[in-house]
Structures are given as C-alpha cells and as structure tokens.
Amino acid sequence: MSGISPGQAVVYGVVQGLTEFLPISSTAHLRIVPAFLTWDDPGAAFTAVIQLGTMAAGVLYFWRELLQVTVAWMRGLIDKSGRGSLEYRMGWYLILATIPVGVFGLIFRHQIETGGRNLWLIATALIVMAIILLFAERRGLRNRDEEDITTQDAIVVGAAQALSLIPGVSRSGATITAGLFQGLDRVAAARFSFLLSVPAVVASGLFEARKIGGAGAPGMGVTVVATVISFAVGLASIAWLIRYVSKHSTFIFIGYRIVLGVVLLGLLAGGAIRAT
C-alpha cells in the first residue's frame, strides 16, 4: 500500500465526516472514493481510526445525555431507587446492544479487513440495505419515542448493528432501520443509533490504532489530519441529520444508495474499476 498524501487525508476526512451518521455507509465511501480516483485503498485500520473523529463529534453533540446516562447507570448499580429512570435503563440498553457487534467484530476481523472490502460486496450491500430501509419506512408504525425504548429494542437494534460489519450496509442505516421496524419514530431511532455508535466505534478505532504508522500502513500525521477533519464535518453532519429526519423520511438516502450501487456494479462489470 502506498502512502496517503495530505490532500488525500483531507478528502478522506471530509468523506468520513459526511457519511458516518448518514445511512449510506462511511466504510463503503472510504473504499469507493479511492477506487473512483484511482488511489490505493487506505485500509480497514485507517478507516476505523478516523472514525474516532466522528465519534468525538457524536460525544460532543450528545455529551449531556451521555453524562446523564453514565451517572444514572453507575448510581443505579448501588441505589435501587434510581433504577426506574430512562437514563439508567439506557445505560444497560447501550451495553446490551453493543455486545453483538463486539463479538462478531472479533470473530470476523480478518474477513472484514480483506474480503469484506470487495467492491462487488459493497455495491450489493448498498442496494440490499436500501430496499430493507424502504420496507422499514413503509411498514414501521413510528408511534414510539425515546422514552419507550425497551430491552427488546436494544437486542434487535444491537443485532442489526452487527450487520454493519459488512461494508456497504451502514451502521447508522442498519440501526435506524431496525428502530423503525420496532415502531420507533425517526428521531428516536436516529438518536438511539448515534448513542449506540459511541462504544462500538470507539472500541474499534482504539483496537485498530496500533496498526497506524506500521509497515504498509498510513502514517500518523495524515491519519491525525483526516481524523480532525472528520470531527469538524461530522459535527455539522449529525446536527443536520437530526433536524432532517424530524421532518422528512429517509427516501433521499434510499435513492442515493440504489443509484450508487447500480453505478458501481456497472463500472465493475465494464472493467472500469477493480473490485479489490
């Protein structure tokens, strides 16, 4: 793998920040963009580490809620009177929903870093997940808010998050889709999705950080540049999406995923770009 230039790092940071919280798969875009521009694949480790920038944006955006959840959960462990609050229950929901992606991420980490980045797979996942999200939009009742989230919701959404290990599925796309199927409204599904992303992506980024700067891996400097830019762009992205889904459906993202997937399949079939 060749090195990443500062200019490429800027592009990767912007792409990561724009796509992490949108249901269109940041991992897929960090694989597709270099393929379109004839750059080398930056690799799974680089992708996982610069996601820490967008996760920092998520933590900053939700800092008050995350603090309340943490304090309430720790207090509830020793004081039974606080165990009825949403914040205490949310702490357990986030832990429970993170387990599947953690387990499967460790089991299939080698496949994710190699075959999972194949563009045929990514194109297919983009289209298939778009169809499932469309079905969720059509069938979801959307009559429950954040206060109504239950243990069953955490299990279902957590299982869906594990599917996001497949590049092209989209972590936010899978979890928002699962939330809609569970009857959550779009804002509740999106907020739970973003809160849930924090432990999973932080753990993944820190786990992969050991590879940065090693033989054949992107250097520390360009990785920091991409991470900082992804933080700034990601903060704007998450604020925009929360406002957007409060008034609109996810149909624009469904259409985008299908168009991108079809174009990608056409380019692959025509030999214009390589799958690996």
Side-chain angles (χ1 to χ4, degrees):
M1 179 188 299
S2 63
I4 294 176
S5 71
Q8 291 173 342
V10 170
V11 171
Y12 288 137
V14 171
V15 170
Q16 168 62 27
L18 285 174
T19 59
E20 172 62 32
F21 297 110
L22 305 184
I24 57 176
S25 181
S26 62
T27 304
H29 282 76
L30 288 173
R31 178 68 183 88
I32 293 170
V33 168
F36 282 0
L37 298 176
T38 66
W39 297 346
D40 288 334
D41 179 4
F46 177 81
T47 298
V49 172
I50 69 171
Q51 286 178 339
L52 292 175
T54 42
M55 282 308 97
V59 170
L60 179 60
Y61 188 87
F62 289 110
W63 73 268
R64 186 175 288 104
E65 188 167 349
L66 287 168
L67 179 62
Q68 292 172 344
V69 167
T70 302
V71 171
W73 181 77
M74 295 181 68
R75 182 179 297 158
L77 293 177
I78 57 177
D79 183 3
K80 294 182 179 180
S81 64
R83 295 180 183 178
S85 69
L86 171 64
E87 291 76 15
Y88 174 77
R89 290 184 286 112
M90 185 64 73
W92 282 115
Y93 295 157
L94 295 179
I95 292 172
L96 181 63
T98 301
I99 293 173
V101 72
V103 171
F104 286 105
L106 286 173
I107 293 174
F108 296 107
R109 63 184 182 277
H110 298 301
Q111 291 86 343
I112 294 168
E113 293 175 357
T114 54
R117 297 179 69 79
N118 185 288
L119 288 177
W120 285 107
L121 174 63
I122 289 174
T124 303
L126 283 168
I127 296 171
V128 171
M129 192 65 220
I131 295 171
I132 297 174
L133 178 54
L134 175 62
F135 192 62
E137 281 280 5
R138 295 294 191 186
R139 298 298 297 272
L141 297 177
R142 300 194 300 276
N143 59 358
R144 301 168 57 220
D145 60 23
E146 201 169 352
E147 292 279 346
D148 300 316
I149 293 175
T150 66
T151 300
Q152 179 181 325
D153 297 323
I155 293 172
V156 172
V157 175
Q161 182 174 233
L163 294 175
S164 68
L165 293 169
I166 303 171
V169 167
S170 168
R171 191 207 55 75
S172 62
T175 50
I176 290 174
T177 297
L180 292 175
F181 272 126
Q182 288 296 107
L184 297 178
D185 62 44
R186 295 188 186 99
V187 173
R191 288 179 64 86
F192 186 51
S193 168
F194 299 156
L195 290 172
L196 180 56
S197 71
V198 173
V201 176
V202 168
S204 174
L206 294 177
F207 180 77
E208 296 291 349
R210 73 194 193 283
K211 301 178 182 178
I212 297 300
M220 182 62 70
V222 292
T223 303
V224 171
V225 168
T227 303
V228 171
I229 292 175
S230 75
F231 165 78
V233 177
L235 189 60
S237 177
I238 191 173
W240 175 83
L241 185 61
I242 289 293
R243 291 195 301 271
Y244 183 85
V245 297
S246 68
K247 299 179 181 179
H248 305 87
S249 72
T250 60
F251 291 152
I252 187 174
F253 306 114
I254 293 169
Y256 174 79
R257 290 179 65 105
I258 292 174
V259 170
L260 179 59
V262 170
V263 169
L264 192 55
L265 288 175
L267 292 173
L268 288 166
I273 58 175
R274 296 172 54 189
T276 57

